[in-house]
C-alpha cells in the first residue's frame, strides 16, 4: 500500500496517540496505591449489551488474588453500567481493561449487589475511572459492624498488595432504599431489591431488551453458598421472588450464567432446605452441634466446589438459626 501524505499524517497521529496513551497508562499505574494484576479474566457475552466475568469456584486465596466472584457490565450506548466491583481495586482495574477492549464509552454507574468483600472492594478503581456507585441502604448495618473489620483484616493478610496502601471500606455515592428504573441509551435497567436473602441488602439488575438478570448471591451456581448470618427462611422466599422475574439469562454472583434459572436455582434452594431440615431436627432434639453435624449424611453435596471450606460454618449458622426459630415457635 502506497503511503500518501494524508495517510502518513493519519499514521503519525495514531502513533502519537498510542504513545501518549501508553505514557498516561503508565503514569496512572504508577499513581495507584495497589499492585497491578495480570490474572486471567475472560469476558462472556450473554446479551446484545450484557457481559460478565466469572470468578473461580474457590474461596479467596493468595494464589487466586481474591478473584472468586462474578461481575457484570452493560454497554448501553450512553455509558457503561457495572454490576459489582470484584474483590480488590486491582481486580476492578483488570475489569476496566476488559471493558475498554469493547467500548470507549465512559463507565458511569456501578451497582453493588451487596456489601461482602468479594463484591465491593474494587470500588476505588471504578470510582477513579469516573463512575458513581449505588448500594442499598441496608448495607449500612454491615459496614459499621465488627464483622466487616474482621473480614477486612483477613483480606489484608491474603491479598494485601492488591488492596493497596491504607485501603478502607469504600462507601457508595448513593444509598438507595427502593427499586429504580433507568433508561440509558438503548437499554432499560431495572434495579430490584431482592433481599433479605444472602444479605438484607441484596440487589439485582434486570437488563432489557437483553432479558439478562444479574442476581448477585441470591443464587449460586456450581458451588456451595456462603451463608454467614443470613436468615435462610427469608432467603428461600427471595429465591421465589427472583424466579418470578422474566429473564432469559441469569448471571449469579458465583458460577456460570444460567439459561434455565428455575433449574439452576435448585442447588442453592435444595442446599438451604437440606440444612434447615437437618439442623432443625437436631435443634428440636436438643442435640449439640457437633452431634448434629456428625449424624448428617453430607454425600449429596460433598463433591460440590467449596463444600469443604464452607459447609461446617454454614451448618453451624443454620443450627443457631433453627434453635432461635424453635425457641420462638416458628
Amino acid at each position: 500500500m502506497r503511503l500518501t501524505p494524508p495517510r502518513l499524517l493519519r499514521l503519525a497521529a495514531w502513533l502519537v496517540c498510542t504513545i501518549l496513551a501508553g505514557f498516561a497508562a503508565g503514569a496512572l499505574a504508577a499513581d495507584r496505591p495497589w499492585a497491578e494484576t495480570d490474572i486471567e479474566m475472560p469476558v462472556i457475552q450473554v446479551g446484545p449489551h450484557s457481559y460478565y466475568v466469572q470468578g473461580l469456584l474457590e474461596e479467596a486465596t493468595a494464589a487466586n488474588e481474591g478473584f472468586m466472584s462474578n461481575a457484570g457490565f452493560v454497554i448501553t450506548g450512553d455509558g457503561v453500567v457495572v454490576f459489582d466491583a470484584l474483590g480488590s481495586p486491582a481486580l476492578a482495574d483488570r475489569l476496566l481493561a476488559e471493558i475498554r477492549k469493547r467500548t470507549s464509552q465512559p463507565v458511569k454507574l456501578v451497582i453493588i449487589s451487596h456489601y461482602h468483600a468479594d463484591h465491593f472492594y474494587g470500588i476505588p478503581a471504578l470510582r477513579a475511572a469516573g463512575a458513581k456507585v449505588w448500594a442499598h441502604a441496608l448495607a449500612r448495618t454491615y459496614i459499621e459492624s465488627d464483622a466487616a473489620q474482621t473480614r477486612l483484616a483477613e483480606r489484608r493478610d491474603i491479598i494485601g498488595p492488591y488492596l493497596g496502601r491504607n485501603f478502607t471500606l469504600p462507601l457508595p455515592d448513593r444509598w438507595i432504599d427502593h427499586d429504580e428504573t433507568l433508561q440509558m441509551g438503548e437499554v432499560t435497567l431495572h434495579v430490584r431489591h431482592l433481599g433479605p436473602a444472602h444479605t438484607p441488602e441484596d440487589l439485582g439488575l434486570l437488563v432489557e431488551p437483553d432479558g439478562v438478570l444479574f442476581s448477585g448471591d441470591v443464587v449460586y451456581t456450581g458451588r456451595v453458598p456462603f451463608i454467614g448470618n443470613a436468615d435462610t427462611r427469608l432467603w428461600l422466599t427471595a429465591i421465589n421472588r427472583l424466579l418470578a422475574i422474566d429473564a432469559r439469562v441469569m448471571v449469579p454472583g458465583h458460577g456460570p450464567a444460567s439459561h434455565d434459572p428455575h433449574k439452576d436455582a435448585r442447588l442453592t434452594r435444595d442446599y438451604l432446605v437440606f440444612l434447615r431440615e437437618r439442623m432443625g431436627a437436631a435443634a428440636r432434639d436438643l442435640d449439640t452441634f457437633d452431634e448434629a453435624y456428625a449424624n448428617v449424611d453430607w454425600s449429596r453435596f460433598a463433591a460440590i466446589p467449596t463444600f469443604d471450606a464452607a459447609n461446617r460454618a454454614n451448618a453451624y449458622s443454620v443450627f443457631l438459626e433453627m434453635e432461635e426459630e424453635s425457641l420462638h415457635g416458628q
Side-chain angles (χ1 to χ4, degrees):
M1 181 181 69
R2 181 167 172 263
L3 291 177
T4 61
R7 283 177 175 161
L8 283 170
L9 285 172
R10 287 196 296 272
L11 177 61
W14 176 82
L15 287 171
V16 169
C17 289
T18 301
I19 292 168
L20 289 175
F23 281 134
L28 181 59
D31 289 341
R32 291 188 187 103
W34 50 82
E36 187 175 358
T37 177
D38 60 357
I39 198 165
E40 189 174 348
M41 191 178 284
V43 174
I44 303 161
Q45 185 167 5
V46 286
H49 310 87
S50 304
Y51 306 77
Y52 81 104
V53 296
Q54 182 181 318
L56 300 172
L57 296 176
E58 303 171 355
E59 295 299 292
T61 65
N64 64 33
E65 300 175 15
F67 182 42
M68 32 73 72
S69 62
N70 299 347
F73 61 94
V74 184
I75 301 173
T76 72
D78 184 29
V80 179
V81 176
V82 173
F83 187 81
D84 278 342
L86 298 176
S88 71
L91 289 173
D93 266 342
R94 278 287 294 115
L95 176 63
L96 284 166
E98 293 300 328
I99 292 171
R100 286 288 159 260
K101 292 177 184 178
R102 290 158 179 83
T103 182
S104 60
Q105 295 175 36
V107 177
K108 290 189 173 181
L109 178 63
V110 180
I111 298 165
I112 302 298
S113 66
H114 64 291
Y115 254 62
H116 281 175
D118 49 326
H119 296 270
F120 82 98
Y121 277 18
I123 285 175
L126 294 163
R127 181 172 279 140
K132 297 297 183 183
V133 180
W134 291 6
H136 196 279
L138 289 174
R140 284 191 178 110
T141 301
Y142 175 77
I143 205 73
E144 296 167 358
S145 70
D146 292 339
Q149 294 302 321
T150 299
R151 179 66 72 190
L152 175 56
E154 291 173 354
R155 284 295 197 268
R156 281 198 178 111
D157 287 341
I158 297 170
I159 57 165
Y162 301 107
L163 297 178
R165 301 183 301 273
N166 304 317
F167 178 86
T168 57
L169 299 179
L171 298 174
D173 298 289
R174 182 185 172 203
W175 295 109
I176 64 173
D177 58 6
H178 57 274
D179 293 349
E180 299 264 357
T181 295
L182 307 172
Q183 185 70 42
M184 291 182 64
E186 306 154 357
V187 173
T188 304
L189 303 162
H190 304 279
V191 183
R192 295 290 179 261
H193 181 216
L194 302 173
H198 177 67
T199 66
E201 69 268 18
D202 291 301
L203 289 176
L205 176 67
L206 177 65
V207 182
E208 295 290 9
D210 294 22
V212 173
L213 173 64
F214 294 98
S215 71
D217 283 5
V218 177
V219 168
Y220 288 61
T221 62
R223 60 157 284 181
V224 167
F226 167 70
I227 290 177
N229 296 318
D231 183 324
T232 56
R233 182 171 55 89
L234 294 179
W235 192 341
L236 288 167
T237 301
I239 291 174
N240 293 333
R241 190 159 55 246
L242 178 146
L243 292 176
I245 297 172
D246 185 18
R248 182 183 59 83
V249 181
M250 177 185 67
V251 180
H254 299 266
S258 169
H259 292 268
D260 187 347
H262 285 265
K263 174 178 176 290
D264 292 323
R266 285 178 194 157
L267 170 60
T268 302
R269 181 161 48 196
D270 289 355
Y271 180 69
L272 296 178
V273 169
F274 184 85
L275 284 178
R276 288 181 58 84
E277 288 176 348
R278 299 304 188 272
M279 294 300 105
R284 289 190 298 273
D285 292 342
L286 302 180
D287 293 342
T288 67
F289 171 70
D290 287 339
E291 290 170 339
Y293 195 84
N295 289 334
V296 174
D297 178 3
W298 297 107
S299 58
R300 179 179 173 187
F301 302 101
I304 299 172
T306 70
F307 174 87
D308 290 339
N311 188 65
R312 188 178 181 90
N314 286 345
Y316 184 62
S317 294
V318 176
F319 180 78
L320 296 178
E321 181 185 0
M322 299 312 293
E323 281 190 326
E324 183 73 15
E325 287 189 19
S326 180
L327 286 172
H328 290 86
Q330 293 180 338

